[in-house]
Each structure stands twice: as structure tokens, then as C-alpha cells.
Amino acid sequence: MTTTSTEAVLAVSGLATHFKPSRRARRRGAGVVHALCGVSFELAERETLGVVGESGSGKTTLLRSILGLERPTAGHVRFSGTDLSQLRGADARRFRTHMSVVFQDPYTSLDPRMTVADVISEPARIQRVPMPTSRLVELLDQVRLPAASMDRFPHEFSGGQRQRIAIARALALDPRLIVLDEPVSALDVSVQAEILGLLRDLQEQRSVSYLFVAHDLAVVADLSHRVGVMFGGQMVELGTTSQVIGSPHHPYTQELLSAVPIPDPRAERAKPRTLTRAWPTDDSRPAPCPVGEIL
Amino acid sequence: MATNDLGPGMVSAPTAPGPPRTRRAAYVLRRFRRHRLGVAGLTVLLLLVLVAVVAPRFWPYDYGEITPDLSQPPSPAHPMGTDTLGRDLLAQILRGLQQSLLIAFSVTVVACFIGVVLGVVAGYFGRYVDATVMRLVDLTLTLPTIAIAAFLGSVVSAGGVSWSALALVLGALMWTSVSRLVRGVVLSLRELPYIDAARVMGAGHLRIMFRHLVPNVADHIIVAATLMFGTAILAESGLSFLGFGVQPPDTSLGLLVADAQSAVLTRPWLFYFPGLLIILIVLSVNYAGEGLRDAFNPKSSPVNPLTTPSRAVRRARAAATASAARTRPAGSSGPQRPDTLVDIAGLTVDFAGQPAVHDLDLSIRRGEVVALVGESGSGKSMTALSLVGLVPPAALCTGSIRFDGDEMTDLSFERWRRYRGRRIAMILQDPSTSLNPALTIGAQFADSMRLAGLSGRSATDRAVELLDSVAIKDPRSVLTHYPHQLSGGMRQRMAIALAMIHDPDLIIADEPTTALDVTVQAQVMATLAIARERTGAAMLFITHDLALVAGIADRVAVMRAGVVVEEADVFSMFDAPQHEYTRKLLALAPHLGSDGRRP
Amino acid sequence: MGRLIVRRLASAVGVLVLSSMVIFLVISVSGDPLAELRDRQPPVPDSVIEAEEHRLGLDQPLVQRYITWITGLFQGDFGPSTTATRDIGAELTSRLGVTLRLVVVAIVLALVLAMLAGTVSALRQRRWPDVVLTPAAFVLLALPSFWLAVLLKQWGIGFNNLFGYQVFATVGASSVPPPDGVIAAVLDAMAHLMLPTIVLALVHFATWSRYQRTAVVESLASDHVRFAVLKGLSRRRIVRSYVVRPALIPIITIVALDLPVLFSGAIITETVFQWRGMGGFLLESITLRDTNAVLAWLLVAATAVVLFNLIADLLYAVADPRVRYGD
């Protein structure tokens, strides 16, 4: 608690989430899955922290652990100094007003049986606070959707429009933190740019912080002030965006960077051909999980 | 990851621009109305219910009333005849119909209630709750419905079984199918982000189950309930037939058939009328259920890649091609260059008036890598599919496709086999589904090797050599693995190695890295480059990512809304894009700043 | 694979034990096997009723009765019958054979035909023979098995009368007395099997062929079939290894789930054709209020269902390597 600076909206310290393998998997010799191994970082007000990682890197578990969708094995998630794991019942529910989420797939993140008005006002209904129509119109306006969208169903909208609805839902209770889980990776390039622009504008208008998790370094760099790179459940590199992109220290970050295709035929053709992983190698691998076998 | 591109697996016409202003119920109703047998089934069913309720009030005879007309065949006074005691069969049948409908309805309500509650709870909570409910299902399945119902029926039959007791017993034994179905659907729904979103908002279990899960399984429940109604009719009448259901002096359809057992040849009306009525009820229930199922879950038009286009399709295509050719400026297809491998001229792929590809011209020279770039719905995948003759049957495909001088439209399945695999190889988007889950990698290689005239040891050696060339470690053991035991990148390399077997002239790669991580993408791209070099094949590389083609393509074509808007060699495309859309794509694509580029 | 068998076996035994408890409970609490004796006019002396209660073990607490019953089962003793002369175990054994003959032949027949018809229907959607098979399956699904059984039996009798020669055997599982000679006996058994088997098989043929058709249609639309086509494989090869093989799981599931229904169908069929099989045994026992006999019947049925489910589980593993390797 003492180390947590007062400005930090979110402070994650030594967070680890391990999964017990199924009984069947254990009998075949599978050990505990160290999905997340002691990750620590802080997120300041109005800051965007990008977290990059490939499938299996633990970025999704990190996000789910922060959101309370998984129970962490060790470590703390503090929100403005309050340890989220200590909250129970109604307190825990009330705390949900400060945090919201936008998921990757706009086709499955909205309940198909709800109208747009139902979707956007659901957080308010759960928290038992009023949500007047004027507020709904205002929210839709902020995500640049017409007020007439309210009575429609999600399937009547395009992917980009649906992602705007999801953002409006995330904004509904004026949260201090929005967790963005690959918010643009299911969208076409032209739509991606619109959504990223919208997110940037919203941050300028309100004092909201973003935790932006994605697999695409270029997209993350576009929006983030700082970037963390995850591999094997650990954050192998964390720094300002220009630091991580410009002078990466970790070999994995370097590999990730060189794998990003460059929209320039000459530069791209000059790259050495990679048929196998550059990292980890036999003599350089990630450190073992510092949290150890807890389960 | 623009995975929502139109794949032939999900054949739906491209959505019209601008959201339609229709509600779901209206959609479902419209689709149901198009299902003629479903509508007929529902109509008959509703009519039968109406008859069961209304007709007995007006029919002069009571079902137990004994008239002086003994064993009469059907006549104007007794449209269905009379039985040996002189009772009017129509009156009895109407009573039976009432009983059957009432009992079946109650059974359905009971069974669906138990099934839905247990199914939702099991699917949502999973783990031990799920295991317990599933054991309960197993347990219930070990109790044969008729036997238990018959025994219970016999014990309480002192004063005749009340229909409600019968319904309860049957319902308590028949809920398993509903609960299995609901559980399965809920298990898959539970993983969906909107459920996670509700949990993040702080929604409780009850809210998630009743606000999100139940409305989303409602479709399945309605269909299951309809079909259950039919099963319940059969169960009740079967039980009554055995004498353990509805008891005399009351009557039911099953009882009427039982009484007429020996009269089939002598007084056939007594046997056929009640039996045919049961068949009519169940048949209409089943067709109504089928119609509802199709209305809720519109089936994509049947996909069968093993067929040859029918003569009607070929004629329609020829006619459309001819009329299109008349409107095209003469000589636009021009004389072919000698090294042209693929020549597509005036290709249009049309889904019920909405073109996915419109009047497309594209040629590929031998050994050349052409990239086709476009966003979802641009028609790039449809172009690739028309090149291998797998355009979905719902689409009308016109124009000309020449491969090495041969016209490729309207080939039969057997004719296509001379090209597919042997001369044109294709790599699909999702490596997790393109390999056969039931066969080992080795067996899938052997299938192709046999076509290449290799078998036994020489086939294995060649497979090992190919896997080696795509940088697979320990290829011999990989051959004994099943696809699910390999990673996504490995599977895509298997697909690439399979494509190399016949040294094809053309490799089509349809978004081969979209489902993969960026470092794996780099490896697969390198593998593709190797495959191309080894086989000397030309390549059609399809992607939504313009940056990705910079390293591999010789020539790039940018597609939008079914039309190629710009086509140029790769250097001029990136150095000086001509079309506004290309410039927009290049500008908008997120890329690392100049300091991010690695040498 | 060995572990899989052991695990499934353990689970099957667990279900069976639970099932025996439920069956016992339901049957014990739901009726008095001596009701008929008690209601007799003139009244039977109390001593006789008490003696009968003692013989059937009804004077003991429920748990004790269950333990007695279940330990007896392990020694092959199904407990006393209400009819003192009846030996439940012996009668059950002979009748089980009769029913198994009917059920197994019907399952095999229905399954083979359903898989063929379903596959052909799916491969030739909306063309001959699908245009006939699909509506036919719908009609068959709506046929009550008892009605079909009576119909075929009476038509068989009518046919026999018309030609004055017994072509179809419509009563019993074999002639009484059975004809001499092995060949004659087999032919006789087959003649008796024909109609009941058709009744039992047709209904399930309809269900299963629908499921097989759906499974094959889905399989046909899958990516790996498209990929196989793109590899240039022959039609026959694709259908066998790429279309039908991955579509086996649904049909295995549905056959296993349908077995209880099949047993119910067998009861009706046997009744109509007057077979001295398990169906008749159950109905007689119910009429006689012979609770131990009903219990024995239910236990045999439960065992059969559990056993077939076990076989289905193992077939999954054969059909799908993902099950075999525990993923």
C-alpha cells in the first residue's frame, strides 16, 4: 500500500494466476498452468498502457484477473488504493462502476436479444441507478451514433457500429478505467482507424485511463503512452512507447518488432527470413515463475 | 483479423448497405412463412386443437353414448362408423383427440420446465453442478419411460389414472433431451463475451441466467418443445394401448386402436381412423417443428463440393456470360501473352442480384506472385474460390477463367481433379479446420502421395523431405500425430507442405496467416516463400493486410466492393499509389514509426 | 485407451448402483404388492397376510430390504415372487434371449440402413433419392409403433389367408413345437422375426437416418472436406475418410440415447406379436403386482442401457482421436 502512489488509478503488484489442470490432464502428467506469473505495473490517470502479447502469453489472463473474471493466485490489484480482492458482496458490485470493458468481437459482446438502449443502460440497471433517455442520447452522441439507434438490435449494425455501442456501454457510468481487449482486431483497417480515433478523443474529453490489450504491436503503439510486452505469463519489457519501439531491450520484443510487416517492399525484402523462433532459445529462456507452485 | 469475410461455409448474400429496420420476430415469421410444410403442419395442428375444443359441443353423440347402430361402417349419420357396442366413433375420436392433446401439452410443459431449469443451471455453473445434472440424465435414461409409467399407472389405477398424474410421470421421465440440448447451448453461450461483460458490470447469477441465457436459448426451447409434443402424443397413446394410460370408460386414441386390434380386416374403420389421426397429429407437429427450426436458424444453402454444376446452372451461366460479353468493349480480353498462366476475364459472382465480384479481369503469369488485397466483403475470397470451382451454389458465376489456356468454368468434378491439387494447390485461412481431425498427418499425406504415384516407403520419405523443407523438427514423428496435437503455425505448414506435393503451377493462399500470431505469421510467410521457390509455382496471395504483401508480391491488385480499383507492380503500388482507396488503406493501416523499423 | 475404459467402467457402475436405488425406491413406495390379497372377499386371515409379508420381506425397514435385495442379486437371486411358484431369475434368462434376438437384429438393421440412407440423402440433397427418403422418414417418425405392429400383423394374417399358406408367422417367437432340424428351425425363427423386426427397425431407421443426413450435410460443408477436394482426392476417398468418418460421432450419440426408447418399443412389439419375451414378462409382472419381478426387469433394462452407453463411449474414442487423447 505504501508504494502505491496516489495518482495511480490501477496498481497491479505481483499478480499471478495459475490454473489447476483437469484431473485427466494431471494424470497424463500436466502440471499447474502458470498463465500469469507475478506481473506488476501502475496505470496513472488519463494514461493508456498497452499490453502486447501473442496467444498464450498471459495477456488475456491478466485482463480477466484485473476484471475479476478469474481469481488471482497471488498478488494484488489495487484500484485507487483499494484492494479489489478484499471487497465482497454489494461493495464489490458498487466498485464495478469505476471499471468497464470493451471486448474484441463486436458480434458476440452484445446480447443479440437486447435493444441498443437495453445494452447501454444495463450497467445502470445492475447498479440500480437511473439512466434517463437524455443520458442515452448523450452517450450515443459521444460515440457518434444517431439517437434513433436506440430501439434497434445489435444485428442491424455493422462491426464498427457495434463496437461503438460497446464503447457507449463502457462509458455509461463514467468509469475511471476502461479495459480494452483487442477492441479493433476484428475490424477492417478503415474502421480500425475510426475506433482508435474515437477512443483517443474520448480520453481527451474525460479523465479516463485505458488498459489496452492486443496482439498487434502497431495498433497498440498507435494509442498507448506506455507499452508492456508479455511472454509466458511475465511482462518481459515495460517502457514508454518510443522506448519499446525504438530501442527494445528484450530479445522477444526485438523478435516481435521484426515480425511486424513493413509497408515498404524494399525494407520488407531486406529482412532476413525467419523460419523458427528467435527467442526463447536453449540458452536464453524466460525465468521460471517467481510465484512457484502454489496450488 | 477480418475473419468476417464471406466464406463459402456461411453463404449469405452480402448485407445491403444501411441497417434494415426489422425486428427479429418479424424475420423469423417471414422465414417460417416461406417454409410451406411448416406452415401446413402448424395450420393442421391449430385446426385439430380447434376441433378438439369446439366440435364435441356440437356433435350430437357423446363418446360413451350407445346408439342402436352396431358395427356400422361410415355413413352420413356416423361419418366414421360405430363400434360393436354401437358407440359413435367420431365422438370417441374427438374425446381421444382432446385427451391426447391435453396430456401431451401437460407432458411438454412439465418436461420442458424441468429440462430448461436443469439445463441452464448445469450449463451455467459447469463443474460439479454440471457433472451432477449429467449423472441425473444418465440415471433417468436407465429408466425406460413406458415401463415406469406402466408400473406407476397400474398402482394408482384403482379409480383410473388422472390425466394430470400421467402427464407428471411422463414429463418427469422425458425431460432429459431438453436438458441436454439446453445445457449444450448454454455451455457455448457462457463463453461469449456478452456474458463476461455482464459479469464485469456486476450482474448476479440470476440476472445472467434470466436476462441473458434464457432469452438466447428460447429458440432452441421452442423447437424442442414442439418436437417433444409429438413424442408425448406417441408415448401417451402407446401407454393407453397397453392399458396403463387412459382407462375405460374414458377413451383415448391409443385405447381405440387397442380395442380395434382384431378388427383390422373386418371393421377396418375402427382401426384406421384413430391410427391415422395420431399420424396426422405427429406429422404436423414434426413439420411445424422443422419449419420453426429452419426459421430460427436459417440453414445456409447446402454446400456440396463433390458435385458437378447441374445442366440448368451451366445454361444460366452461359446465357449470362454471353449477354455480358455483348456489353463489354470488343477485344478487352485481348490476345494472351505466351507466359500467361491464369486469365480471368469479366468474372462476375452474383448472389441473388447482389454481386460479390463484378466484372473482374486479372491475369497471373507463370511464376508470378499476385496479391489480392481487400477488406471484408470486397470479393477477394470469392475470386479465389471461382478459380478452383468452389463458388457456393447460391451464386451465379459468369465470365471466363482460363488456366494455362483451358477454359475452367463448368468443369465436372472429375475434370476438376486434373487441376485441383495437381496443378492448382490452395491453402485455406484457418489451419485448425482445414485438416481432417480423424486422420493422422501421415495418412493425409499418404492420400495425396497416392495421387502422385507414391506409396509406402517412398511416400514417407517424400513427406519427410517436404516437412523438412518447411522447417518442421522431427518430421517422422509429426507424421504419426493428429492435427489437434499440433500448434496453429505447424498445421498451416502442414497445409503448405501438402500443397507442394505435386509441384503445382499455381498456389492460392487465402488469408493464410490471419488466424495466426505475428511471429508465427512471419514464419508462415517465410515458408510460403520457400514453397514458391521450390515448386516454381505462381501464387495468388489473398489478404486484408496491405503491409503483408510488400515482402512477397510481384504485383498487387486492390479490391473494393467486388471491383479491382488499382493494379500495379508492388513497388509502384507502395511508392506511388494511384487510387484514393489504396492511399487511404496505406495511410490508415497502423504501422510502427520510422524508429520502429528494424533493419 | 486402457485408462479410458477403466474410467468409463467405473462411471457406468456408479450410474447402475444409483439406478438400482432409484428403481427400488420408486417401486417400493408406490404400491402394495399384497393389495389384491388384502382386498379379497371373503377376507383372507391376517395370519396368511402376515406370512406372505414375511416371505416377501415387507415387514422389514426399506434400507434393510434394499440391502437384502442387492446382496441377493450378487448371488443370482432376484428375490421372491408374489406368485410362490415363479422363479424370476430362470424365467428372465429365457425371456432375455428372445428379446435380445429381436432388439439386436432391429438395431443392426436400422443402423445399417439409416447410415446408408442418411449418407446418400445428404450427398444428393434435394435430388433422387433424397426427395423420397426425407418425406418417408417424416411419415415413419409419426407412425405409432403399436399401430404399425397391429397393421403388419393383421396384413400378414390376411396375406396368409389369401394364399392359404403361412408365409408370415404372426404369433410368438417360434412355432410350437419348433420344427425338427437346424435349418428348418432357423428358417422358422427368421419367419417369426420378420414382422416384429420391421416394426421395431422402421421407427428407429427414420430417426437415425435424419440424424445421419444432418451430420453428413454439416460434414460436407466443413473446411477439411473443401481442403480434401482441393487436394484433388477422389470422390470415394473423400466421402469415406473425410465426410462420413468425422460424422460418426453424432450417430453414435443418438443411437445410445435412443436405446431406452427402443426397449419401450420392444415391449409394445412383443405384446402385439405375442412373444414370450421381456415385454410380456414386464406386463404380466405388473398385472400380478410382482414387485420383485418388475424390479428385476428394470434392473436388466438399466444394465443394458448402461452397457450400450459404455460401448458408445468406447466407439467415440475409436471414431475421434481427440477423445482418445483426452482433449
Side-chain angles (χ1 to χ4, degrees):
Chain A
M1 197 72 108
T2 47
T3 53
T4 312
S5 61
T6 44
E7 301 100 281
V9 173
L10 179 73
V12 172
S13 56
L15 195 65
T17 306
H18 296 175
F19 296 109
K20 239 189 198 160
S22 67
R23 219 185 306 163
R24 193 190 301 175
R26 239 176 310 164
R27 226 177 279 131
R28 281 184 294 134
V32 170
V33 181
H34 300 105
L36 199 59
C37 298
V39 169
S40 306
F41 62 85
E42 287 186 5
L43 180 62
E45 194 150 298
R46 285 177 171 248
E47 190 192 20
T48 302
L49 174 68
V51 175
V52 196
E54 303 193 297
S55 44
S57 64
K59 63 177 193 303
T60 305
T61 311
L62 171 67
L63 169 150
R64 293 179 65 86
S65 304
I66 291 172
L67 288 173
L69 294 173
E70 304 290 354
R71 191 184 297 261
T73 315
H76 300 277
V77 179
R78 290 200 184 83
F79 195 90
S80 302
T82 311
D83 192 334
L84 292 186
S85 63
Q86 303 299 319
L87 295 178
R88 290 281 178 276
D91 287 338
R93 197 188 69 219
R94 268 195 295 280
F95 222 83
R96 301 269 181 191
T97 55
H98 301 308
M99 212 194 267
S100 59
V101 65
V102 176
F103 284 110
Q104 168 176 7
D105 183 359
Y107 291 86
T108 54
S109 63
L110 307 175
D111 189 330
R113 296 286 183 278
M114 286 185 166
T115 61
V116 170
D118 285 339
V119 166
I120 299 179
S121 57
E122 193 181 15
R125 274 201 308 275
I126 291 170
Q127 299 295 340
R128 297 177 194 126
V129 294
M131 170 71 76
T133 314
S134 57
R135 173 81 179 132
L136 282 176
V137 175
E138 188 191 324
L139 283 166
L140 284 170
D141 186 53
Q142 280 180 342
V143 297
R144 295 163 205 164
L145 283 173
S149 317
M150 242 188 293
D151 299 326
R152 295 191 183 172
F153 287 89
H155 70 87
E156 300 174 45
F157 295 88
S158 70
Q161 288 171 324
R162 287 187 212 204
Q163 208 56 312
R164 288 161 193 271
I165 297 168
I167 293 172
R169 174 175 66 185
L171 292 172
L173 298 177
D174 267 320
R176 298 182 59 202
L177 169 69
I178 300 181
V179 176
L180 305 166
D181 178 14
E182 305 256 14
V184 297
S185 59
L187 306 174
D188 277 331
V189 173
S190 47
V191 185
Q192 278 189 3
E194 287 168 25
I195 297 289
L196 290 174
L198 173 68
L199 288 169
R200 207 178 288 120
D201 292 350
L202 286 170
Q203 195 171 39
E204 276 164 24
Q205 292 159 14
R206 322 162 155 248
S207 62
V208 63
S209 308
Y210 292 144
L211 180 67
F212 184 1
V213 178
H215 71 284
D216 187 341
L217 197 49
V219 169
V220 168
D222 204 34
L223 195 70
S224 308
H225 303 105
R226 286 191 299 146
V227 173
V229 179
M230 291 198 65
F231 183 88
Q234 305 184 25
M235 202 168 266
V236 294
E237 182 145 6
L238 176 64
T240 64
T241 306
S242 56
Q243 234 171 26
V244 172
I245 305 288
S247 48
H249 294 297
H250 198 274
Y252 177 68
T253 315
Q254 289 163 7
E255 182 185 1
L256 209 54
L257 277 165
S258 70
V260 176
I262 309 163
D264 175 352
R266 289 171 198 90
E268 186 65 26
R269 274 152 219 249
K271 275 204 230 168
R273 200 174 268 176
T274 44
L275 272 171
T276 47
R277 284 219 105 96
W279 194 84
T281 55
D282 288 340
D283 36 56
S284 167
R285 12 189 73 261
C289 186
V291 182
E293 299 283 334
I294 286 186
L295 292 171
Chain B
M1 279 206 273
T3 47
N4 49 346
D5 199 12
L6 265 182
M10 18 177 263
V11 183
S12 58
T15 40
R21 267 192 157 277
T22 344
R23 300 217 165 200
R24 200 184 133 72
Y27 272 134
V28 171
L29 197 66
R30 198 169 346 126
R31 277 198 297 256
F32 183 73
R33 277 208 302 247
R34 252 181 280 156
H35 197 288
R36 263 181 295 162
L37 284 167
V39 173
L42 195 63
T43 313
V44 171
L45 195 62
L46 292 177
L47 275 177
L48 285 173
V49 172
L50 194 71
V51 165
V53 174
V54 176
R57 286 166 212 266
F58 297 102
W59 192 242
Y61 304 103
D62 187 64
Y63 67 89
E65 192 180 329
I66 291 170
T67 69
D69 312 320
L70 307 183
S71 298
Q72 292 280 312
S75 64
H78 304 285
M80 290 188 174
T82 59
D83 67 6
T84 41
L85 292 176
R87 285 174 298 192
D88 179 65
L89 186 60
L90 179 59
Q92 285 184 297
I93 279 193
L94 287 174
R95 175 63 184 175
L97 183 64
Q98 276 184 342
Q99 291 278 3
S100 287
L101 293 178
L102 183 65
I103 293 174
F105 179 76
S106 319
V107 170
T108 308
V109 170
V110 173
C112 285
F113 179 77
I114 304 176
V116 169
V117 169
L118 288 180
V120 169
V121 166
Y124 176 67
F125 288 105
R127 291 163 179 267
Y128 301 107
V129 181
D130 185 34
T132 311
V133 172
M134 289 324 283
R135 284 296 86 76
L136 199 61
V137 168
D138 285 350
L139 187 64
T140 313
L141 284 175
T142 61
L143 311 172
T145 313
I146 289 233
I148 297 276
F151 181 80
L152 293 180
S154 80
V155 245
V156 286
S157 71
V161 207
S162 73
W163 63 268
S164 50
L166 191 61
L168 256 160
V169 170
L170 284 176
L173 291 167
M174 286 169 66
W175 57 274
T176 51
S177 63
V178 178
S179 89
R180 279 176 61 98
L181 174 89
V182 170
R183 166 191 176 263
V185 179
V186 169
L187 270 181
S188 59
L189 287 179
R190 189 179 67 158
E191 304 296 323
L192 289 182
Y194 67 80
I195 302 296
D196 275 342
R199 288 174 65 196
V200 171
M201 288 177 231
H205 296 313
L206 280 178
R207 185 183 175 82
I208 291 178
M209 284 194 272
F210 285 101
R211 271 297 284 173
H212 294 288
L213 292 175
V214 171
N216 279 291
V217 282
D219 293 359
H220 299 266
I221 297 171
I222 292 171
V223 173
T226 314
L227 298 176
M228 164 83 60
F229 188 79
T231 318
I233 295 261
L234 289 177
E236 179 275 327
S237 52
L239 213 49
S240 297
F241 173 85
L242 289 176
F244 299 110
V246 175
Q247 304 283 333
D250 206 335
T251 193
S252 88
L253 296 177
L255 211 54
L256 288 173
V257 173
D259 292 342
Q261 276 191 76
S262 52
V264 181
L265 300 173
T266 49
R267 292 179 297 282
W269 61 91
L270 291 178
F271 175 75
Y272 286 105
F273 282 125
L276 291 174
L277 185 60
I278 298 176
I279 298 175
L280 182 66
I281 302 173
V282 181
L283 198 61
S284 51
V285 166
N286 286 352
Y287 270 118
E290 183 87 352
L292 284 172
R293 190 202 311 259
D294 286 357
F296 283 127
N297 286 314
K299 267 189 232 133
S300 46
S301 47
V303 173
N304 187 345
L306 304 181
T307 49
T308 298
S310 69
R311 206 169 296 150
V313 168
R314 281 190 305 229
R315 225 176 292 143
R317 188 179 292 176
T321 306
S323 78
R326 276 196 295 280
T327 60
R328 282 169 68 81
S332 66
S333 54
Q336 278 190 22
R337 296 171 52 147
D339 62 344
T340 301
L341 179 68
V342 177
D343 187 39
I344 303 174
L347 176 71
T348 297
V349 182
D350 197 276
F351 284 92
Q354 293 191 319
V357 179
H358 185 72
D359 201 12
L360 177 125
D361 296 331
L362 187 75
S363 67
I364 304 171
R365 291 199 294 275
R366 289 183 189 282
E368 186 188 32
V369 180
V370 174
L372 203 51
V373 183
E375 294 185 305
S376 47
S378 63
K380 55 187 193 300
S381 289
M382 218 38 85
T383 308
L385 289 173
S386 39
L387 252 179
V388 287
L390 287 182
V391 169
L396 182 65
C397 180
T398 54
S400 146
I401 298 169
R402 284 172 172 277
F403 178 82
D404 205 8
D406 305 336
E407 181 62 45
M408 305 293 279
T409 40
D410 297 331
L411 293 191
S412 68
F413 182 85
E414 285 306 320
R415 283 291 300 279
W416 261 117
R417 283 190 62 211
R418 300 187 196 168
Y419 299 98
R420 290 177 184 157
R422 291 170 172 83
R423 301 194 61 194
I424 306 176
M426 188 159 171
I427 295 148
L428 303 176
Q429 174 174 333
D430 189 353
S432 62
T433 54
S434 52
L435 298 173
N436 185 346
L439 296 183
T440 60
I441 299 292
Q444 300 187 50
F445 267 93
D447 278 343
S448 287
M449 291 293 179
R450 212 167 296 127
L451 297 181
L454 293 172
S455 59
R457 181 181 291 264
S458 56
T460 313
D461 288 344
R462 172 102 167 104
V464 167
E465 179 201 323
L466 283 170
L467 290 181
D468 216 32
S469 69
V470 295
I472 296 292
K473 281 183 208 151
D474 194 7
R476 261 176 218 283
S477 90
V478 168
L479 285 177
T480 65
H481 283 51
Y482 285 94
H484 75 271
Q485 296 171 305
L486 307 178
S487 71
M490 291 265 273
R491 286 185 212 143
Q492 201 60 306
R493 285 191 221 183
M494 294 302 138
I496 295 172
L498 280 165
M500 292 164 71
I501 290 176
H502 303 282
D503 281 329
D505 298 322
L506 175 69
I507 298 175
I508 303 173
D510 184 5
E511 302 249 18
T513 62
T514 302
L516 304 172
D517 277 326
V518 64
T519 52
V520 182
Q521 165 171 289
Q523 294 159 24
V524 168
M525 291 304 289
T527 313
L528 270 177
I530 287 172
R532 209 198 64 74
E533 282 160 19
R534 296 233 167 172
T535 57
M539 190 187 295
L540 181 64
F541 184 82
I542 290 161
T543 181
H544 66 279
D545 187 352
L546 196 48
L548 200 56
V549 309
I552 194 163
D554 300 317
R555 210 147 47 82
V556 183
V558 176
M559 272 188 93
R560 188 184 55 176
V563 177
V564 172
V565 295
E566 182 167 2
E567 189 185 334
D569 75 274
V570 70
F571 294 101
S572 20
M573 180 69 85
F574 281 90
D575 292 344
Q578 297 299 307
H579 196 275
E580 185 198 350
Y581 180 67
T582 317
R583 283 202 291 271
K584 186 178 148 203
L585 276 186
L586 274 169
L588 290 179
H591 54 86
L592 301 166
S594 55
D595 52 346
R597 287 188 193 162
R598 309 298 301 162
Chain C
M1 195 73 184
R3 266 187 194 150
L4 185 87
I5 295 174
V6 171
R7 200 171 59 239
R8 296 280 194 246
L9 208 60
S11 146
V13 169
V15 168
L16 208 52
V17 169
L18 267 178
S19 180
S20 74
M21 289 179 190
V22 172
I23 291 169
F24 190 83
L25 194 71
V26 168
I27 300 301
S28 308
V29 301
S30 62
D32 177 10
L34 301 180
E36 190 261 344
L37 199 65
R38 285 183 226 276
D39 289 348
R40 238 180 242 179
Q41 290 296 338
V44 179
D46 281 352
S47 59
V48 174
I49 292 181
E50 270 165 33
E52 198 61 12
E53 273 181 351
H54 182 72
R55 187 177 73 81
L56 297 175
L58 295 177
D59 49 352
Q60 286 170 331
L62 200 60
V63 178
Q64 183 58 46
R65 275 159 62 192
Y66 175 75
I67 293 170
T68 315
W69 177 63
I70 206 91
T71 43
L73 284 181
F74 282 106
Q75 292 146 14
D77 176 13
F78 287 93
S81 162
T82 43
T83 314
T85 49
R86 198 176 187 194
D87 180 352
I88 296 176
E91 199 179 331
L92 208 55
T93 324
S94 72
R95 285 176 173 241
L96 188 61
V98 173
T99 297
L100 272 184
R101 192 190 326 161
L102 174 63
V103 168
V104 169
V105 173
I107 290 181
V108 171
L109 194 69
L111 190 59
V112 170
L113 291 179
M115 290 195 59
L116 279 174
T119 308
V120 170
S121 244
L123 290 174
R124 302 186 53 85
Q125 279 172 74
R126 295 174 202 177
R127 283 182 295 162
W128 168 261
D130 182 36
V131 287
V132 175
L133 282 172
T134 294
F138 263 92
V139 173
L140 287 179
L141 277 176
L143 278 184
S145 51
F146 58 89
W147 189 78
L148 184 65
V150 172
L151 187 74
L152 288 188
K153 180 183 174 181
Q154 297 299 328
W155 279 3
I157 292 174
F159 189 87
N160 290 345
N161 290 344
L162 200 64
F163 287 88
Y165 177 75
Q166 174 129 359
V167 183
F168 297 106
T170 54
V171 174
S174 56
S175 302
V176 183
D180 293 328
V182 180
I183 295 170
V186 168
L187 283 178
D188 177 66
M190 275 168 65
H192 283 84
L193 253 178
M194 192 149 47
L195 292 177
T197 311
I198 291 175
V199 172
L200 205 50
L202 267 187
V203 177
H204 292 276
F205 160 77
T207 326
W208 297 344
S209 73
R210 291 299 295 161
Y211 276 97
Q212 176 72 1
R213 184 180 183 274
T214 312
V216 172
V217 165
E218 271 170 26
S219 186
L220 267 176
S222 69
D223 255 10
H224 67 257
V225 170
R226 201 142 52 97
F227 194 63
V229 169
L230 290 169
K231 288 202 298 188
L233 303 185
S234 67
R235 251 203 202 108
R236 176 202 290 261
R237 182 97 212 148
I238 294 174
V239 168
R240 213 174 42 200
S241 309
Y242 291 75
V243 176
V244 174
R245 177 107 194 253
L248 284 176
I249 296 278
I251 194 80
I252 296 175
T253 309
I254 206 66
V255 170
L257 283 177
D258 253 8
L259 282 170
V261 187
L262 207 118
F263 287 129
S264 295
I267 299 175
I268 289 175
T269 315
E270 286 182 359
T271 313
V272 172
F273 288 97
Q274 287 149 292
W275 280 40
R276 285 186 54 79
M278 292 284 285
F281 179 86
L282 175 77
L283 298 183
E284 283 160 30
S285 306
I286 288 177
T287 321
L288 291 171
R289 296 261 166 131
D290 194 343
T291 44
N292 277 334
V294 174
L295 273 176
W297 189 95
L298 286 173
L299 197 71
V300 169
T303 312
V305 170
V306 168
L307 207 66
F308 275 95
N309 273 315
L310 189 68
I311 295 171
D313 274 345
L314 300 179
L315 285 178
Y316 282 150
V318 174
D320 190 344
R322 282 168 293 190
V323 176
R324 190 153 68 232
Y325 289 93
D327 282 316

